[in-house]
Amino acid sequence: MDERLEAEGEVAVARLAIGSGDLRHAAVHLGNALTVAPQLPDAYEALAELAVAAGGNAAALELFSTDEPYLGTVACIAQLHAAAGQWDSALPALASVIGADPERPWADVAWLADPALPGRVPPDAVTQAVAVLVRTLPEPLPPQLRDGVGPFYALVRACVTAHPGHSLLHTMASTLARRFGDTAEAVAWAEHARSLEPGHWQAVVLGGALRAAGRPDEALAVWEAEIARDPSDVDLYVDVAELHRHGGRPAEGLAWLDRALAVEPEHPKALPAAFALRHAVDGGTAHLLALSDHLRSHPEHGYAAALLAELCEDEPWLGHVHSASEASVNVLHQMLANPESARDHEIELLSSALEAPSTRLAVRMGFPNSKIDYQSVAAPDPRVPQYEVGTPLWRFDGPEGLDARPALDPPSAASAELVREITALAWPAPVAAYDHAVRLSGLDPADLLAVCVHPPLPREDGQGAYLLGRQPEMWVRAVQVFACLGLAHHRADEPWEDSRRRALLLDLLFGPEDWTNEAAGFALLATAWSDPSAREDVGVRLVDRMMAVGKAWRERDATSLASLCRLVLACPWLDKTFLDLAGKMLSAAVEFDARSPEDEAERGAAITAELEARQSRAAAPQDASKPRSLLSRLFGRTR
């Protein structure tokens, strides 16, 4: 039903209730009407009729329930307070509605646009309302929210002009101006506020305005001076530390956090910030995992969640699906970028050597009528599993075994649709991806395995259209990731070491070289980040797979090597030997990918000696009187 028609229906019912004397029933329907259509003039006219029938605005207010009210109910309350000139209540109530749903036109009410209003409302009421509003608004405001908040911002600007001597009003107005990107005005208002009253909050806001205006050194000077004057605000220590981090001086920031934690050891922002700054100093992933563990223990710490998402955002696997680099994928991109290409075109690709079977899924998703042939299989044979597996995903048909086809029947339509619904290309952190996939825990593992080789098409939205038309391989890889994450939730009550979910994921990890190895590897990693008891086992398995692929990479293309190295590097609990090796192998793989094809003969030279040295060390006789190292355990046992 059209929103306006629905709201008009609610208003009609409300008027019938007013006519019959059932005013409380009428109030419910008017709240419903504004919830559906905040701009509907009839709803506000009917609200005025309700106030008359109730005997005045004060009596009408008693008709609206404030126990978990709908936004439309709060909008009615704000309107009634405004009609009575009760600005101390009207403005904060309206601000709370705008802040809760800033994309909708709650602020398009006649009384807010009254040009005489800035001279009538008390500046304290406006100050309080802005404080309510900015509590939930992002900074900066995205374009789609500006129209909804704009009328309220216009009132605030007019009130600042009308009350030039009110320090706190200028202070709060500065915080709202920052959200609109008006940084020069934000600084000017904050400086004026501080000149009127050099208080703590004025200093805090001035520093924030200077930071937003790209003047970090001035912001630091203001904040550090304020801490010297009043050392009690631990949040401000964190702001100073974070400013040092963003300025490339994390060690200086850590000193401020040490002071903060000395004042309040369990501060909900200082502890997460310390992990972030130590990560900036040390690199690696150890502090990211520590921050993730902190968040797992304190899910209410929103600052920790925001920091972890920021630090993982641009990191393959930590924050998003790792890209593919097969030659056929590069050709696919070129064909999709050709304006003359169409999905129904018949495309024929001939590649010199067999690639990961999943590349066919991507090419055929982009061009369903495509035909892909391979001329040979490079040694060592990528079709041979590293270990015997009980769950083969692919069969290799044809005279030379070069035609890779799914070994499983398609999944049920319901299972495929659920995977399609929750699949994402990015996530705030590995544990967040793991948690997001919990909805797949009830699916039959056979269906989840089948989805890996029969991926559904992308969702029918803007992102789906882009992926289908430009990067279908990223969708295929993301589907495989979430299918594997679904497997990671299968029978989650079973102890990890002997669990069915572990066995299934290891089958995929150690199967023929394919994107599903990487997807299973990420699912294992996300499990380990979520469950510390699985960490040692997962780390050993990922290193084992990385080493095997690294050996193959010395002789031929092994496009999953960089991805597997990054998975190992995301296991900071591993022995430094493995982490160093993964870093060297990753550098070599990335450097080689940037070279020309003429350099093929040099493949693997950068890491051959390193691999052989690690293996020789692992195979050397062990002193029985000493504990066996993780390295020797890796090469001393199979899975």
Side-chain angles (χ1 to χ4, degrees):
M1 181 187 295
D2 178 81
E3 286 187 350
R4 185 180 181 90
L5 287 176
E6 182 182 351
E8 287 174 344
E10 294 283 354
V11 171
V13 174
R15 283 187 162 127
L16 287 174
I18 293 172
S20 66
D22 191 353
L23 303 187
R24 194 169 295 278
H25 190 205
V28 170
H29 285 282
L30 288 175
N32 292 344
L34 286 184
T35 298
V36 174
Q39 282 179 300
L40 187 63
D42 275 358
Y44 292 103
E45 291 172 9
L47 185 59
E49 295 165 16
L50 176 66
V52 172
N57 293 304
L61 284 165
E62 298 295 325
L63 300 172
F64 290 90
S65 172
T66 56
D67 296 333
E68 300 183 8
Y70 293 110
L71 291 181
T73 300
V74 181
C76 288
I77 291 170
Q79 179 74 15
L80 290 170
H81 279 302
Q86 297 168 344
W87 307 115
D88 288 350
S89 300
L91 286 168
L94 182 61
S96 69
V97 176
I98 299 170
D101 189 6
E103 198 164 356
R104 306 192 71 205
W106 302 104
D108 285 344
V109 288
W111 61 268
L112 196 66
D114 182 353
L117 184 63
R120 292 204 306 264
V121 295
D124 286 344
V126 183
T127 302
Q128 181 188 356
V130 177
V132 170
L133 179 60
V134 297
R135 194 179 301 146
T136 56
L137 290 183
E139 182 184 345
L141 271 178
Q144 67 270 22
L145 302 185
R146 296 193 173 206
D147 287 345
V149 186
F152 198 93
Y153 182 39
L155 171 68
V156 173
R157 294 175 64 91
C159 288
V160 166
T161 301
H163 302 281
H166 198 285
S167 176
L168 283 179
L169 174 58
H170 281 73
T171 300
M172 292 311 306
S174 173
T175 67
L176 188 54
R178 280 192 347 233
R179 283 156 175 80
F180 276 86
D182 296 336
T183 54
E185 206 146 30
V187 170
W189 286 345
E191 287 177 335
H192 181 66
R194 199 176 186 215
S195 70
L196 293 170
E197 183 182 343
H200 177 73
W201 187 237
Q202 285 84 351
V204 170
V205 170
L206 175 57
L210 290 167
R211 176 183 59 187
R215 297 158 62 179
D217 291 340
E218 294 174 70
L220 277 174
V222 170
W223 282 344
E224 290 176 3
E226 180 58 22
I227 290 175
R229 189 189 71 82
D230 176 6
S232 63
D233 186 351
V234 178
D235 283 341
L236 195 52
Y237 290 79
V238 177
D239 289 336
V240 169
E242 286 286 12
L243 202 49
H244 279 295
R245 175 170 74 92
H246 291 296
R249 303 179 297 271
E252 293 180 42
L254 274 173
W256 285 95
L257 290 178
D258 288 341
R259 292 176 60 183
L261 292 170
V263 174
E264 191 175 340
E266 299 297 323
H267 190 271
K269 291 180 67 176
L271 273 173
F275 291 126
L277 268 76
R278 290 188 184 109
H279 171 69
V281 171
D282 299 334
T285 59
H287 300 302
L288 298 182
L289 179 62
L291 180 55
S292 179
D293 286 345
H294 172 86
L295 183 59
R296 187 162 46 84
S297 300
H298 300 281
E300 73 281 4
H301 286 184
Y303 188 69
L307 272 180
L308 185 60
E310 175 195 334
L311 297 172
C312 290
E313 182 178 14
D314 296 326
E315 299 298 328
W317 287 135
L318 295 183
H320 60 83
V321 173
H322 200 289
S323 60
S325 60
E326 282 79 5
S328 60
V329 172
N330 295 331
V331 174
L332 172 63
H333 289 170
Q334 294 172 26
M335 292 190 299
L336 290 171
N338 186 339
E340 298 181 1
S341 295
R343 288 195 78 231
D344 60 353
H345 283 179
E346 295 183 2
I347 304 294
E348 293 188 8
L349 296 181
L350 179 64
S351 179
S352 59
L354 185 69
E355 294 180 319
S358 289
T359 58
R360 286 191 172 199
L361 302 177
V363 172
R364 286 177 175 157
M365 186 169 285
F367 295 96
N369 297 322
S370 60
K371 185 175 185 294
I372 310 171
D373 289 319
Y374 300 101
Q375 295 179 311
S376 64
V377 179
D381 193 335
R383 299 168 299 181
V384 178
Q386 184 175 339
Y387 298 112
E388 182 179 350
V389 299
T391 314
L393 295 183
W394 301 100
R395 68 173 190 267
F396 295 90
D397 297 336
E400 305 294 331
L402 297 176
D403 188 8
R405 298 183 180 277
L408 304 173
D409 291 332
S412 70
S415 295
E417 181 57 31
L418 184 56
V419 174
R420 178 180 188 247
E421 180 183 333
I422 75 160
T423 291
L425 275 74
W427 40 81
V431 173
Y434 177 84
D435 290 343
H436 183 62
V438 72
R439 291 177 57 194
L440 302 175
S441 61
L443 296 186
D444 189 326
D447 274 346
L448 290 168
L449 292 167
V451 165
C452 289
V453 291
H454 297 283
L457 290 172
R459 293 184 292 271
E460 295 174 358
D461 55 20
Q463 184 191 57
Y466 173 82
L467 290 169
L468 191 60
R470 287 291 181 266
Q471 290 188 292
E473 84 285 354
M474 292 301 287
W475 174 254
V476 172
R477 289 171 70 83
V479 166
Q480 292 173 338
V481 163
F482 275 87
C484 288
L485 286 169
L487 292 173
H489 283 284
H490 179 61
R491 297 180 189 170
D493 57 331
E494 291 182 346
W496 171 252
E497 194 71 25
D498 300 315
S499 66
R500 176 66 173 152
R501 63 190 185 280
R502 173 183 180 272
L504 289 168
L505 290 172
L506 292 182
D507 270 356
L508 300 189
L509 177 68
F510 291 116
E513 285 186 34
D514 184 49
W515 295 350
T516 49
N517 304 157
E518 303 165 58
F522 175 72
L524 288 164
L525 177 75
T527 299
W529 274 49
S530 302
D531 178 9
S533 69
R535 286 178 185 171
E536 181 177 353
D537 176 61
V538 166
V540 167
R541 308 307 153 196
L542 291 175
V543 169
D544 193 359
R545 187 57 172 153
M546 177 191 73
M547 295 287 285
V549 173
K551 294 173 194 174
W553 187 86
R554 292 181 295 174
E555 310 297 332
R556 58 161 171 81
D557 274 332
T559 54
S560 63
L561 180 59
S563 173
L564 291 168
C565 289
R566 288 189 170 100
L567 288 170
V568 169
L569 290 169
C571 301
W573 57 85
L574 284 169
D575 188 281
K576 187 175 183 293
T577 302
F578 296 128
L579 299 176
D580 288 347
L581 176 59
K584 291 180 180 180
M585 294 173 74
L586 176 60
S587 295
V590 170
E591 181 181 352
F592 184 84
D593 284 345
R595 296 179 183 179
S596 64
E598 289 73 23
D599 295 320
E600 184 89 19
E602 299 180 23
R603 174 174 298 279
I607 62 170
T608 297
E610 185 72 28
L611 279 168
E612 291 174 347
R614 303 298 185 196
Q615 287 182 269
S616 298
R617 196 177 310 159
Q622 298 290 314
D623 185 342
S625 66
K626 296 179 180 179
R628 299 185 74 197
S629 70
L630 185 59
L631 186 64
S632 65
R633 290 204 304 277
L634 171 64
F635 290 100
R637 81 190 211 199
T638 65
R639 64 193 183 93

